[in-house]
Amino acid sequence: MSSPRPLIHLSGVKKVFYTDEVETHALSGIHLDINKGEYVSIAGPSGCGKSTLLSILGLLDTPSDGEYVLNETAVENLSLSDRARIRNREVGFIFQSFNLIGDLTVYENVELPLTYRGLSSSDRKRRVTDALERVGMAHRAGHFPSQLSGGQQQRVAVARAVSGQPSILLADEPTGNLDSSNGEAVIELLRELHRGGATICMVTHDPRYAQQADRIVHLFDGLIVEEEAGSNRREIKEAKREVKETNAGGVG
Amino acid sequence: MRSFWQDIRYGLKVMRKNPGFIAIAVFALALGVGANTAIFSVVNAILLHPINYGNPDQLMMVWEKSAKRGFGQIPTSLPNFVDLRTDNKSLEDLGAFADSNFNLTGGDQPERVIGVRVTASLLSLVGIKPLRGRLFLSGEDQPQATRVLILSHHLWQRSFGANPNIVGQNVALNGDSYTVVGIMPSDFKFPPSFSATVASSQYAMPNADLWVPLTTDAVPTARDIRTLFMIGRLKPGVTPAAAQSEMNVIASRLQKEYPATDADMQVDVIPLRQQITGDIHLALIVLFGAVGCVLLIACANVANLLLAKASGRQKEVAIRTALGATRRRIIRQLLTEGMLLGLAGGVLGSLLAIVVLRQLVIFSPANVSIPDNIGIDWQVLAFTLLLSLFTSFIFGLAPALQASKLDLNETLKEGGRGNSGGSKQNRLRSLLVITEVALALVLLIASGLMIKSFLRLQNVNPGFNPENLITLEIQLPQNKYSDKNRQAVFQQQLVQRIAQVPGVQSAGTVDNLPFSGNESNVGLTIEGQPPLNAAERPRAFLRNVSPNYFESMGIPLRKGRTFADTDNGNAPGAAIVNETAARRLWPNEEPLGKRFKRGKADSQYPWVTVVGVVGAVSHTSLEVASQPEVYLPFQQNPELNLTLVARTRSDPKAFAGAVRREVSALDKDLPVSNIKFMDEIIGKSVAQPRVYALLLGIFAGLALILASIGIYGVMSYSVTQRTHEIGIRMALGARPRDVLKLIIKQGMVLGIAGIIIGLIVSFALTRVLASQLYGVSSTDPGTFAAISLLLMFVAVIACYIPALRATKVDPMIAVRYE
Ligand SMILES: Nc1ncnc2c1ncn2[C@@H]1O[C@H](COP(=O)(O)OP(=O)(O)OP(=O)(O)O)[C@@H](O)[C@H]1O
Ligand SMILES: [Mg+2]
């Protein structure tokens, strides 16, 4: 059920950093399409360009070369303001270090992206409550981040990322600062969101978590070296086959 | 010792690494220390050190007063003085003095000088030795004694070429020969500078050029003509209160003994110091307050910057502790840095003080005599320096104190969670900035009110046109002009000659020129009204003028006519009254044709008929509402005293030569140096409010600069501190203008909090200013609103630069930050 045009289309995307006369080729020509509803994980050794790729996907950074079409809009050469607007509507970020704002309550943190959109406060309230309920943190709305455990904080961060109903969720090692049980809980949360129709692109070191995705993109030295189907895809495929088989069996 | 140098070297390194921070802190300190010291030194020199007499606290001003007539402080008459002097036992001695203008010949050229007649023992009473020669001897104030005088230092220098042999030689005063017996030192000033409200007009003590003994034949001897000021010295152990109650007893005795003249006489004993500081007291308090405010703001600024720095250095302190530095060592290091900062600010501030002081002396308004030998007040400098060092020390210690409380685990945990925040530490800094803004607002409002009041004052219509008026005060010498006829002829010829000078539109004379400080206030008897005693008679200010005086001055005629040449000795007595007098003397009646006379009904003065009504004139100062005035024609009342006023068609300065020539042509012995221009005289009369407004304005400007530095510093630091948070917000879709708004809003919360507090404080405090304000309420809403807006605007500007920097934050740091 893939849409005719991919949600994200990268072609020949390069990123070069210039620091003190040293050129770092973080990305050296990335071709990548992500379809609506797809769950993609990006894997690769440290320094291979995963975070750089995610930043470009999230419009935090601009490619040095190549084209990027997000939701049928070319976004390489937009103004700061336009990029901020698209980032706000189309992208939800989940960071390794949670990045909640310590002075704001859980509720206010989740509300934050909505405030940059000019929604009415009742609208915002509905969406924030929705998002918090989805991650199971509604009862902590009035707390401050410092009063929460790491796992709870990351769940709030997920709620913040989804509250604006973005086209794509970008997660950079969302489990990196969590112990394994909390990490698994967050991965489970992402999988639930994916089942609900969310498009997700997640960077992770952990092969077990990478396997959760439909597709695993392996990055090495700024290039995509391999793409494989994740266990999720295989599971679905297997499930479909099972359905077919039972159907066939049923019929046959 | 070696480690001390190490500390210094390390401190210098830290300073070099943060040039912006150091520059701001040092600048704030230097402004606080420097400007305050300079201005305060001036205020101190002008206002605080005027008494250099021996044991000044024993010196008392003694006044008559009349509660019944509402006169607070009035001079006394010769007979009353003699009674007070001989009857009291509280005072070692009581002296009297009166100022008087003289024509001095015998110096380089004839000139008009201010002399003060003093009782023979008065100068020794104040306890100052002469520079050369001697003071007056007892008996030299007897009428038949040889005439002697003592020169002031400045007159000796100016007119006698500082010739030391002048002592013992003769000079002529008003044509009479006087022997110079002494010269006073340069810092001697008598009478001391104070002003008093005499019969509802302000009377300022003149700066005397010379002193002569007060002889009984030189002053009026009637008990009801009060022209003498009194200063006495308390006997050791006698309190002012004791002296006061003794004077009360004497006064009530005089009341009974001389009911005709002293019926309502009372005596007031006021310590000289209080008399002098009396009217500048309030101004001083306000200026002290302003100085204190600026200094506080400067210190708050430095404290703020150091606190900001402190939180940035927590990590460094923690690392140094981990590397084995003892707490004492770290505190010493931080103190050294604070000291370096304080010293840098102090040195720069002292330099600034010297420069500012020089500029103040150069650019001081001509009519404010800032002594040119004025120096830095070292006590003030030391005080401000110590305060700023103290501030740097205390707040320089902050990182050490914070470090000792630092829980390493906690810090790591917080850092690990990667959340932004930590607003608790910011609270003190915010509080400091709010205080700065509030203080600045109070100062700005105070100076705003003063400036507005000053502008109002400048726009007051004095009742005449001060433009293009040249004036010359003339005192005809008694020996040459004793004949009334000669006086009248001189006046007539003078006016005729001046009027014929090409470019002169009109010329006239008056005895007491407005704003000259000369004034005569007389009681009147109105024909057809029941006779009243001296205390109850209506009073008016008397002017003796030539026919063209009104035209020359531009005083409008409201009714009837002005004087004509025919109003001379052969014609019936004529008078012109001003509107105020017409209303008071003949309420709801037609004043023209009414008759009145000076003094009681059977006084020696003639009855005069009102022939005209003219507009009222501000005579003593622009602040004083118009008083009742009556004008008499000079030709019917010739006298020795007259001031020429001439209206010129162009710049009156160009006519000084011609006026001098014409006067000298009439009488070559008359001094002609004292030419003045009316617009300058009026300018001088508002010199004090102007200086006051100027000083407050400078302080307020400093406060504004410092407060905006404070806001800028805190916001700038806050942006640095919030970089990560801003990055997160941008990652979540905040546009540059959202970020701009975020930061400016944060700054404005501080600004508005400060403004609200400042407004409340101002409402409470500006009442103190009320008596210094003219035509402006001390809670003038316009000023309050305008100043608040100004401060708000400055606050926005101060926030804008850091806010702009915030919009440049790279949202990537949200991803990269660990
Ligand atoms: N702002 C920058 N300036 C210069 N070089 C940069 C910058 N950002 C990233 N790089 C370089 O680009 C390369 C890719 O970095 P990136 O952060 O994308 O790696 P990564 O795959 O996310 O690594 P990790 O798994 O350690 O997070 C690295 O060599 C890094 O040093
Ligand atoms: Mg990375």
PDB file of all heavy atoms in Angstrom, chain A residues 55 60 84 87-88 97-100 102 112 116 146 148 153 172, chain B residues 417 419-420 724 728-732 734 738 812 814-815 817:
ATOM      1  N   SER A  55      19.761  15.141  10.819  1.00  0.00           N
ATOM      2  CA  SER A  55      19.607  16.596  10.911  1.00  0.00           C
ATOM      3  C   SER A  55      19.141  17.182   9.590  1.00  0.00           C
ATOM      4  O   SER A  55      18.337  18.124   9.564  1.00  0.00           O
ATOM      5  CB  SER A  55      20.932  17.246  11.296  1.00  0.00           C
ATOM      6  OG  SER A  55      21.386  16.703  12.497  1.00  0.00           O
ATOM      7  N   LEU A  60      17.199  20.607  10.228  1.00  0.00           N
ATOM      8  CA  LEU A  60      18.041  21.350  11.156  1.00  0.00           C
ATOM      9  C   LEU A  60      19.284  21.831  10.440  1.00  0.00           C
ATOM     10  O   LEU A  60      19.946  22.766  10.864  1.00  0.00           O
ATOM     11  CB  LEU A  60      18.449  20.466  12.345  1.00  0.00           C
ATOM     12  CG  LEU A  60      17.328  20.063  13.280  1.00  0.00           C
ATOM     13  CD1 LEU A  60      17.863  19.171  14.382  1.00  0.00           C
ATOM     14  CD2 LEU A  60      16.678  21.299  13.880  1.00  0.00           C
ATOM     15  N   ALA A  84      11.710  26.636   9.593  1.00  0.00           N
ATOM     16  CA  ALA A  84      11.183  26.458  10.944  1.00  0.00           C
ATOM     17  C   ALA A  84       9.716  26.032  10.874  1.00  0.00           C
ATOM     18  O   ALA A  84       9.278  25.144  11.606  1.00  0.00           O
ATOM     19  CB  ALA A  84      11.325  27.753  11.730  1.00  0.00           C
ATOM     20  N   ARG A  87       9.515  22.436   9.660  1.00  0.00           N
ATOM     21  CA  ARG A  87      10.008  21.580  10.737  1.00  0.00           C
ATOM     22  C   ARG A  87       8.911  21.384  11.777  1.00  0.00           C
ATOM     23  O   ARG A  87       8.670  20.292  12.270  1.00  0.00           O
ATOM     24  CB  ARG A  87      11.219  22.266  11.380  1.00  0.00           C
ATOM     25  CG  ARG A  87      12.010  21.414  12.312  1.00  0.00           C
ATOM     26  CD  ARG A  87      13.432  21.919  12.381  1.00  0.00           C
ATOM     27  NE  ARG A  87      13.529  23.266  12.914  1.00  0.00           N
ATOM     28  CZ  ARG A  87      14.261  24.229  12.369  1.00  0.00           C
ATOM     29  NH1 ARG A  87      14.958  24.007  11.263  1.00  0.00           N
ATOM     30  NH2 ARG A  87      14.282  25.427  12.895  1.00  0.00           N
ATOM     31  N   ASN A  88       8.251  22.475  12.061  1.00  0.00           N
ATOM     32  CA  ASN A  88       7.221  22.437  13.081  1.00  0.00           C
ATOM     33  C   ASN A  88       6.037  21.553  12.672  1.00  0.00           C
ATOM     34  O   ASN A  88       5.480  20.834  13.482  1.00  0.00           O
ATOM     35  CB  ASN A  88       6.747  23.877  13.353  1.00  0.00           C
ATOM     36  CG  ASN A  88       5.693  23.929  14.418  1.00  0.00           C
ATOM     37  OD1 ASN A  88       4.509  23.928  14.127  1.00  0.00           O
ATOM     38  ND2 ASN A  88       6.139  23.942  15.675  1.00  0.00           N
ATOM     39  N   SER A  97      19.266  12.606  24.329  1.00  0.00           N
ATOM     40  CA  SER A  97      19.308  13.182  25.674  1.00  0.00           C
ATOM     41  C   SER A  97      17.989  13.868  26.038  1.00  0.00           C
ATOM     42  O   SER A  97      17.990  14.833  26.778  1.00  0.00           O
ATOM     43  CB  SER A  97      20.472  14.154  25.773  1.00  0.00           C
ATOM     44  OG  SER A  97      20.444  15.032  24.673  1.00  0.00           O
ATOM     45  N   PHE A  98      16.902  13.365  25.504  1.00  0.00           N
ATOM     46  CA  PHE A  98      15.531  13.787  25.813  1.00  0.00           C
ATOM     47  C   PHE A  98      15.242  15.237  25.413  1.00  0.00           C
ATOM     48  O   PHE A  98      14.239  15.515  24.797  1.00  0.00           O
ATOM     49  CB  PHE A  98      15.173  13.593  27.295  1.00  0.00           C
ATOM     50  CG  PHE A  98      15.732  12.361  27.933  1.00  0.00           C
ATOM     51  CD1 PHE A  98      16.109  12.353  29.259  1.00  0.00           C
ATOM     52  CD2 PHE A  98      15.921  11.187  27.182  1.00  0.00           C
ATOM     53  CE1 PHE A  98      16.625  11.214  29.848  1.00  0.00           C
ATOM     54  CE2 PHE A  98      16.439  10.045  27.777  1.00  0.00           C
ATOM     55  CZ  PHE A  98      16.802  10.058  29.099  1.00  0.00           C
ATOM     56  N   ASN A  99      16.187  16.157  25.892  1.00  0.00           N
ATOM     57  CA  ASN A  99      16.031  17.571  25.549  1.00  0.00           C
ATOM     58  C   ASN A  99      14.695  18.167  25.953  1.00  0.00           C
ATOM     59  O   ASN A  99      14.110  18.956  25.210  1.00  0.00           O
ATOM     60  CB  ASN A  99      16.243  17.776  24.041  1.00  0.00           C
ATOM     61  CG  ASN A  99      17.712  17.852  23.708  1.00  0.00           C
ATOM     62  OD1 ASN A  99      18.543  17.980  24.604  1.00  0.00           O
ATOM     63  ND2 ASN A  99      18.037  17.759  22.435  1.00  0.00           N
ATOM     64  N   LEU A 100      14.223  17.810  27.146  1.00  0.00           N
ATOM     65  CA  LEU A 100      13.066  18.536  27.676  1.00  0.00           C
ATOM     66  C   LEU A 100      13.585  19.846  28.269  1.00  0.00           C
ATOM     67  O   LEU A 100      14.743  19.937  28.662  1.00  0.00           O
ATOM     68  CB  LEU A 100      12.372  17.697  28.757  1.00  0.00           C
ATOM     69  CG  LEU A 100      11.789  16.381  28.268  1.00  0.00           C
ATOM     70  CD1 LEU A 100      11.148  15.623  29.431  1.00  0.00           C
ATOM     71  CD2 LEU A 100      10.765  16.611  27.160  1.00  0.00           C
ATOM     72  N   GLY A 102      13.851  22.281  31.157  1.00  0.00           N
ATOM     73  CA  GLY A 102      13.731  22.071  32.599  1.00  0.00           C
ATOM     74  C   GLY A 102      12.808  23.047  33.300  1.00  0.00           C
ATOM     75  O   GLY A 102      12.227  22.723  34.336  1.00  0.00           O
ATOM     76  N   LEU A 112       4.789  22.854  23.605  1.00  0.00           N
ATOM     77  CA  LEU A 112       5.713  23.814  22.983  1.00  0.00           C
ATOM     78  C   LEU A 112       5.630  23.876  21.446  1.00  0.00           C
ATOM     79  O   LEU A 112       5.449  24.951  20.884  1.00  0.00           O
ATOM     80  CB  LEU A 112       7.135  23.493  23.442  1.00  0.00           C
ATOM     81  CG  LEU A 112       8.140  24.615  23.332  1.00  0.00           C
ATOM     82  CD1 LEU A 112       7.651  25.859  24.049  1.00  0.00           C
ATOM     83  CD2 LEU A 112       9.476  24.166  23.921  1.00  0.00           C
ATOM     84  N   TYR A 116       4.071  27.259  18.500  1.00  0.00           N
ATOM     85  CA  TYR A 116       4.677  27.946  17.358  1.00  0.00           C
ATOM     86  C   TYR A 116       3.789  27.844  16.124  1.00  0.00           C
ATOM     87  O   TYR A 116       4.198  28.147  15.021  1.00  0.00           O
ATOM     88  CB  TYR A 116       6.054  27.352  17.060  1.00  0.00           C
ATOM     89  CG  TYR A 116       7.007  27.555  18.214  1.00  0.00           C
ATOM     90  CD1 TYR A 116       7.684  26.500  18.798  1.00  0.00           C
ATOM     91  CD2 TYR A 116       7.207  28.839  18.724  1.00  0.00           C
ATOM     92  CE1 TYR A 116       8.538  26.695  19.854  1.00  0.00           C
ATOM     93  CE2 TYR A 116       8.059  29.044  19.783  1.00  0.00           C
ATOM     94  CZ  TYR A 116       8.717  27.971  20.347  1.00  0.00           C
ATOM     95  OH  TYR A 116       9.561  28.182  21.397  1.00  0.00           O
ATOM     96  N   SER A 146      12.753  17.281  35.904  1.00  0.00           N
ATOM     97  CA  SER A 146      13.696  16.787  36.898  1.00  0.00           C
ATOM     98  C   SER A 146      13.023  15.853  37.903  1.00  0.00           C
ATOM     99  O   SER A 146      13.694  15.160  38.652  1.00  0.00           O
ATOM    100  CB  SER A 146      14.347  17.962  37.619  1.00  0.00           C
ATOM    101  OG  SER A 146      13.342  18.762  38.208  1.00  0.00           O
ATOM    102  N   LEU A 148      11.118  13.396  37.002  1.00  0.00           N
ATOM    103  CA  LEU A 148      10.795  12.156  36.288  1.00  0.00           C
ATOM    104  C   LEU A 148      12.041  11.304  36.108  1.00  0.00           C
ATOM    105  O   LEU A 148      13.165  11.809  36.092  1.00  0.00           O
ATOM    106  CB  LEU A 148      10.211  12.478  34.898  1.00  0.00           C
ATOM    107  CG  LEU A 148       8.971  13.378  34.857  1.00  0.00           C
ATOM    108  CD1 LEU A 148       8.565  13.597  33.407  1.00  0.00           C
ATOM    109  CD2 LEU A 148       7.832  12.760  35.654  1.00  0.00           C
ATOM    110  N   GLN A 153      10.977  10.574  31.100  1.00  0.00           N
ATOM    111  CA  GLN A 153      11.301  11.786  30.342  1.00  0.00           C
ATOM    112  C   GLN A 153      11.260  11.508  28.843  1.00  0.00           C
ATOM    113  O   GLN A 153      10.757  12.310  28.065  1.00  0.00           O
ATOM    114  CB  GLN A 153      12.691  12.305  30.735  1.00  0.00           C
ATOM    115  CG  GLN A 153      12.713  12.914  32.126  1.00  0.00           C
ATOM    116  CD  GLN A 153      14.027  13.630  32.406  1.00  0.00           C
ATOM    117  OE1 GLN A 153      14.479  14.426  31.604  1.00  0.00           O
ATOM    118  NE2 GLN A 153      14.632  13.326  33.522  1.00  0.00           N
ATOM    119  N   ASP A 172      17.053  10.104  17.194  1.00  0.00           N
ATOM    120  CA  ASP A 172      18.494   9.854  17.156  1.00  0.00           C
ATOM    121  C   ASP A 172      18.887   9.120  18.430  1.00  0.00           C
ATOM    122  O   ASP A 172      18.968   9.723  19.499  1.00  0.00           O
ATOM    123  CB  ASP A 172      19.255  11.183  17.038  1.00  0.00           C
ATOM    124  CG  ASP A 172      20.702  10.958  16.650  1.00  0.00           C
ATOM    125  OD1 ASP A 172      21.154   9.796  16.676  1.00  0.00           O
ATOM    126  OD2 ASP A 172      21.380  11.953  16.312  1.00  0.00           O
TER     127      ASP A 172
ATOM    128  N   ARG B 417      20.922  14.053  32.106  1.00  0.00           N
ATOM    129  CA  ARG B 417      19.560  14.055  31.585  1.00  0.00           C
ATOM    130  C   ARG B 417      19.376  15.028  30.435  1.00  0.00           C
ATOM    131  O   ARG B 417      18.394  14.989  29.725  1.00  0.00           O
ATOM    132  CB  ARG B 417      18.589  14.392  32.705  1.00  0.00           C
ATOM    133  CG  ARG B 417      18.407  13.207  33.621  1.00  0.00           C
ATOM    134  CD  ARG B 417      17.418  13.521  34.695  1.00  0.00           C
ATOM    135  NE  ARG B 417      17.427  12.403  35.653  1.00  0.00           N
ATOM    136  CZ  ARG B 417      16.737  12.420  36.765  1.00  0.00           C
ATOM    137  NH1 ARG B 417      16.018  13.470  37.054  1.00  0.00           N
ATOM    138  NH2 ARG B 417      16.778  11.401  37.579  1.00  0.00           N
ATOM    139  N   ASN B 419      18.704  18.162  30.271  1.00  0.00           N
ATOM    140  CA  ASN B 419      17.609  19.125  30.267  1.00  0.00           C
ATOM    141  C   ASN B 419      18.157  20.533  30.473  1.00  0.00           C
ATOM    142  O   ASN B 419      19.193  20.714  31.090  1.00  0.00           O
ATOM    143  CB  ASN B 419      16.613  18.788  31.360  1.00  0.00           C
ATOM    144  CG  ASN B 419      15.959  17.459  31.089  1.00  0.00           C
ATOM    145  OD1 ASN B 419      15.652  17.146  29.943  1.00  0.00           O
ATOM    146  ND2 ASN B 419      15.808  16.662  32.128  1.00  0.00           N
ATOM    147  N   SER B 420      17.436  21.466  29.952  1.00  0.00           N
ATOM    148  CA  SER B 420      17.866  22.848  30.125  1.00  0.00           C
ATOM    149  C   SER B 420      17.180  23.441  31.325  1.00  0.00           C
ATOM    150  O   SER B 420      16.058  23.076  31.643  1.00  0.00           O
ATOM    151  CB  SER B 420      17.498  23.665  28.891  1.00  0.00           C
ATOM    152  OG  SER B 420      18.292  23.266  27.834  1.00  0.00           O
ATOM    153  N   HIS B 724      21.253  26.043  24.628  1.00  0.00           N
ATOM    154  CA  HIS B 724      20.758  24.704  24.341  1.00  0.00           C
ATOM    155  C   HIS B 724      19.242  24.676  24.248  1.00  0.00           C
ATOM    156  O   HIS B 724      18.653  24.114  23.331  1.00  0.00           O
ATOM    157  CB  HIS B 724      21.250  23.732  25.422  1.00  0.00           C
ATOM    158  CG  HIS B 724      20.812  22.339  25.202  1.00  0.00           C
ATOM    159  ND1 HIS B 724      20.205  21.578  26.168  1.00  0.00           N
ATOM    160  CD2 HIS B 724      20.861  21.563  24.102  1.00  0.00           C
ATOM    161  CE1 HIS B 724      19.907  20.395  25.680  1.00  0.00           C
ATOM    162  NE2 HIS B 724      20.300  20.355  24.429  1.00  0.00           N
ATOM    163  N   ILE B 728      16.782  23.662  21.182  1.00  0.00           N
ATOM    164  CA  ILE B 728      15.665  22.705  21.225  1.00  0.00           C
ATOM    165  C   ILE B 728      14.406  23.344  20.653  1.00  0.00           C
ATOM    166  O   ILE B 728      13.706  22.769  19.827  1.00  0.00           O
ATOM    167  CB  ILE B 728      15.393  22.260  22.675  1.00  0.00           C
ATOM    168  CG1 ILE B 728      16.607  21.529  23.233  1.00  0.00           C
ATOM    169  CG2 ILE B 728      14.163  21.370  22.736  1.00  0.00           C
ATOM    170  CD1 ILE B 728      16.513  21.260  24.718  1.00  0.00           C
ATOM    171  N   ARG B 729      14.151  24.572  21.112  1.00  0.00           N
ATOM    172  CA  ARG B 729      12.949  25.258  20.645  1.00  0.00           C
ATOM    173  C   ARG B 729      12.974  25.403  19.120  1.00  0.00           C
ATOM    174  O   ARG B 729      11.958  25.239  18.452  1.00  0.00           O
ATOM    175  CB  ARG B 729      12.826  26.639  21.290  1.00  0.00           C
ATOM    176  CG  ARG B 729      12.387  26.574  22.742  1.00  0.00           C
ATOM    177  CD  ARG B 729      12.443  27.946  23.383  1.00  0.00           C
ATOM    178  NE  ARG B 729      12.049  27.900  24.795  1.00  0.00           N
ATOM    179  CZ  ARG B 729      10.799  28.118  25.215  1.00  0.00           C
ATOM    180  NH1 ARG B 729       9.846  28.407  24.351  1.00  0.00           N
ATOM    181  NH2 ARG B 729      10.515  28.064  26.498  1.00  0.00           N
ATOM    182  N   MET B 730      14.158  25.709  18.592  1.00  0.00           N
ATOM    183  CA  MET B 730      14.247  25.858  17.140  1.00  0.00           C
ATOM    184  C   MET B 730      14.022  24.518  16.452  1.00  0.00           C
ATOM    185  O   MET B 730      13.372  24.442  15.413  1.00  0.00           O
ATOM    186  CB  MET B 730      15.592  26.452  16.753  1.00  0.00           C
ATOM    187  CG  MET B 730      15.711  27.899  17.187  1.00  0.00           C
ATOM    188  SD  MET B 730      17.340  28.541  16.858  1.00  0.00           S
ATOM    189  CE  MET B 730      16.983  29.671  15.553  1.00  0.00           C
ATOM    190  N   ALA B 731      14.559  23.455  17.061  1.00  0.00           N
ATOM    191  CA  ALA B 731      14.348  22.126  16.484  1.00  0.00           C
ATOM    192  C   ALA B 731      12.863  21.796  16.475  1.00  0.00           C
ATOM    193  O   ALA B 731      12.376  21.094  15.595  1.00  0.00           O
ATOM    194  CB  ALA B 731      15.125  21.086  17.275  1.00  0.00           C
ATOM    195  N   LEU B 732      12.130  22.340  17.456  1.00  0.00           N
ATOM    196  CA  LEU B 732      10.695  22.070  17.522  1.00  0.00           C
ATOM    197  C   LEU B 732       9.901  23.027  16.643  1.00  0.00           C
ATOM    198  O   LEU B 732       8.675  22.978  16.632  1.00  0.00           O
ATOM    199  CB  LEU B 732      10.204  22.180  18.963  1.00  0.00           C
ATOM    200  CG  LEU B 732      10.812  21.162  19.930  1.00  0.00           C
ATOM    201  CD1 LEU B 732      10.295  21.395  21.334  1.00  0.00           C
ATOM    202  CD2 LEU B 732      10.498  19.747  19.467  1.00  0.00           C
ATOM    203  N   ALA B 734      10.514  26.688  16.369  1.00  0.00           N
ATOM    204  CA  ALA B 734      10.474  28.108  16.691  1.00  0.00           C
ATOM    205  C   ALA B 734      11.149  28.885  15.575  1.00  0.00           C
ATOM    206  O   ALA B 734      12.264  28.551  15.170  1.00  0.00           O
ATOM    207  CB  ALA B 734      11.177  28.370  18.018  1.00  0.00           C
ATOM    208  N   ASP B 738      10.114  34.025  16.822  1.00  0.00           N
ATOM    209  CA  ASP B 738       9.656  33.439  18.086  1.00  0.00           C
ATOM    210  C   ASP B 738      10.758  33.535  19.133  1.00  0.00           C
ATOM    211  O   ASP B 738      10.509  33.817  20.301  1.00  0.00           O
ATOM    212  CB  ASP B 738       9.281  31.961  17.881  1.00  0.00           C
ATOM    213  CG  ASP B 738       8.061  31.801  16.996  1.00  0.00           C
ATOM    214  OD1 ASP B 738       7.103  32.578  17.173  1.00  0.00           O
ATOM    215  OD2 ASP B 738       8.084  30.912  16.117  1.00  0.00           O
ATOM    216  N   MET B 812      21.304  22.696  15.541  1.00  0.00           N
ATOM    217  CA  MET B 812      22.059  21.444  15.594  1.00  0.00           C
ATOM    218  C   MET B 812      22.534  21.108  17.003  1.00  0.00           C
ATOM    219  O   MET B 812      22.724  19.937  17.331  1.00  0.00           O
ATOM    220  CB  MET B 812      23.290  21.535  14.680  1.00  0.00           C
ATOM    221  CG  MET B 812      22.957  21.549  13.213  1.00  0.00           C
ATOM    222  SD  MET B 812      22.348  19.961  12.733  1.00  0.00           S
ATOM    223  CE  MET B 812      23.845  19.021  12.934  1.00  0.00           C
ATOM    224  N   ALA B 814      20.967  21.033  19.527  1.00  0.00           N
ATOM    225  CA  ALA B 814      19.987  20.186  20.197  1.00  0.00           C
ATOM    226  C   ALA B 814      20.339  18.722  19.981  1.00  0.00           C
ATOM    227  O   ALA B 814      20.119  17.872  20.843  1.00  0.00           O
ATOM    228  CB  ALA B 814      18.588  20.484  19.654  1.00  0.00           C
ATOM    229  N   VAL B 815      20.888  18.443  18.813  1.00  0.00           N
ATOM    230  CA  VAL B 815      21.242  17.058  18.493  1.00  0.00           C
ATOM    231  C   VAL B 815      22.595  16.703  19.087  1.00  0.00           C
ATOM    232  O   VAL B 815      22.796  15.639  19.653  1.00  0.00           O
ATOM    233  CB  VAL B 815      21.290  16.881  16.957  1.00  0.00           C
ATOM    234  CG1 VAL B 815      21.504  15.420  16.606  1.00  0.00           C
ATOM    235  CG2 VAL B 815      20.031  17.429  16.322  1.00  0.00           C
ATOM    236  N   TYR B 817      24.303  18.131  21.557  1.00  0.00           N
ATOM    237  CA  TYR B 817      24.504  18.322  22.991  1.00  0.00           C
ATOM    238  C   TYR B 817      24.404  17.021  23.755  1.00  0.00           C
ATOM    239  O   TYR B 817      23.454  16.270  23.613  1.00  0.00           O
ATOM    240  CB  TYR B 817      23.452  19.314  23.489  1.00  0.00           C
ATOM    241  CG  TYR B 817      23.541  19.667  24.939  1.00  0.00           C
ATOM    242  CD1 TYR B 817      24.383  20.690  25.365  1.00  0.00           C
ATOM    243  CD2 TYR B 817      22.773  19.007  25.878  1.00  0.00           C
ATOM    244  CE1 TYR B 817      24.458  21.027  26.691  1.00  0.00           C
ATOM    245  CE2 TYR B 817      22.836  19.339  27.200  1.00  0.00           C
ATOM    246  CZ  TYR B 817      23.683  20.364  27.616  1.00  0.00           C
ATOM    247  OH  TYR B 817      23.730  20.705  28.935  1.00  0.00           O
TER     248      TYR B 817
END
